[in-house]
Amino acid sequence: MSRNPEVVRARILDAAQAEFMAEGFAAASTNRILERFGGSKPTMFRHFPTKRALFEAVVGRIAERWRDAVVMDDAHADDPQGWLERFAQRALSWILTDESIFVGRMAIAEGHLFPEVGDTYRRLAVDPLNALVAARLDAWTQAGILSCMEPDRDALSFFDLTLAGMVSRRLYRVEAGFDEAAIAEHARRCARLFLDGCRLRPLPTAP
């Protein structure tokens, strides 16, 4: 068994995530987490002194994975439709996974107990991705392609349009429409609708 602290930490979080996803926070057992981990109790509690600390770390790791899954280095920055479609597809493909939906369910069921968990998810995943989209909207506006006077708010609107409905359906266990083709079509339509509202248009002429 590896003694590398990062490896040990990852194994503990794997065990904790499996337990939390199976049982929720309240019913989760640190003894079962310890059994899943297969290491010693002092080792586990040296890394994470409480069940709450374990839960926060699990949520933080899921958030970081979502942020890291949406890498846009290969997207054409001069093609707003294509760029936004690709961003939406990658964001949706990750946020609709079981572990990401688990965070949403915990936020609904037990979020009042863990306000910091929502803050962690927003800080590690939502804010960086929102900033990524906002920077693109601002660049396209500066280039005269779009008209986004408030890129941060417009980026948030794109998130709402693209992600919120799909996540809600997944949270409430509506099973249809989450395959790769459906996600691609949803991303295409949302990007087109969003961009239609941001297109530069000539000013109306006075009567």
Side-chain angles (χ1 to χ4, degrees):
M1 184 179 297
S2 174
R3 294 186 178 182
N4 182 306
E6 292 305 312
V7 173
V8 172
R9 177 184 170 87
R11 289 182 55 246
I12 295 170
L13 289 179
D14 287 343
Q17 181 171 326
E19 176 70 8
F20 289 134
M21 288 182 69
E23 304 294 339
F25 176 81
S29 162
T30 53
N31 286 331
R32 286 196 298 267
I33 293 172
L34 185 62
E35 289 175 9
R36 292 175 186 269
F37 164 48
S40 69
K41 184 176 288 188
T43 296
M44 187 171 82
F45 284 108
R46 185 167 63 250
H47 286 270
F48 305 100
T50 64
K51 185 168 78 167
R52 189 184 189 94
L54 273 168
F55 184 67
E56 291 177 22
V58 165
V59 171
R61 187 173 68 161
I62 291 171
E64 289 176 335
R65 284 175 173 173
W66 185 39
R67 179 198 64 204
D68 294 344
V70 187
V71 176
M72 299 298 294
D73 293 346
D74 60 340
H76 295 294
D78 58 351
D79 175 16
Q81 176 73 30
W83 195 97
L84 289 173
E85 278 188 45
R86 184 165 297 190
F87 176 90
Q89 286 183 53
R90 291 177 180 177
L92 279 166
S93 294
W94 175 253
I95 204 172
L96 295 174
T97 61
D98 288 343
E99 63 179 359
S100 188
I101 289 298
F102 152 76
V103 175
R105 290 198 173 111
M106 290 299 97
I108 293 170
E110 302 178 283
H112 63 291
L113 299 175
F114 301 97
E116 68 273 29
V117 167
D119 292 340
T120 295
Y121 197 80
R122 185 166 51 253
R123 175 173 54 83
L124 294 178
V126 178
D127 289 349
L129 292 179
N130 196 77
L132 178 64
V133 175
R136 275 287 93 225
L137 296 180
D138 185 53
W140 290 326
T141 297
Q142 296 301 321
I145 300 171
L146 300 181
S147 177
C148 295
M149 297 300 100
E150 297 182 86
D152 289 334
R153 293 185 64 180
D154 291 335
L156 185 58
S157 295
F158 181 69
F159 269 59
D160 290 343
L161 175 66
T162 307
L163 306 182
M166 293 284 270
V167 170
S168 293
R169 289 167 58 201
R170 192 75 168 77
L171 282 168
Y172 291 101
R173 304 183 189 280
V174 177
E175 297 301 330
F178 300 113
D179 57 89
E180 185 175 338
I183 288 174
E185 174 62 14
H186 177 77
R188 184 187 66 80
R189 288 175 61 85
C190 288
R192 190 181 68 221
L193 284 168
F194 176 81
L195 288 171
D196 187 58
C198 297
R199 297 291 183 194
L200 288 171
R201 291 177 172 83
L203 293 174
T205 57

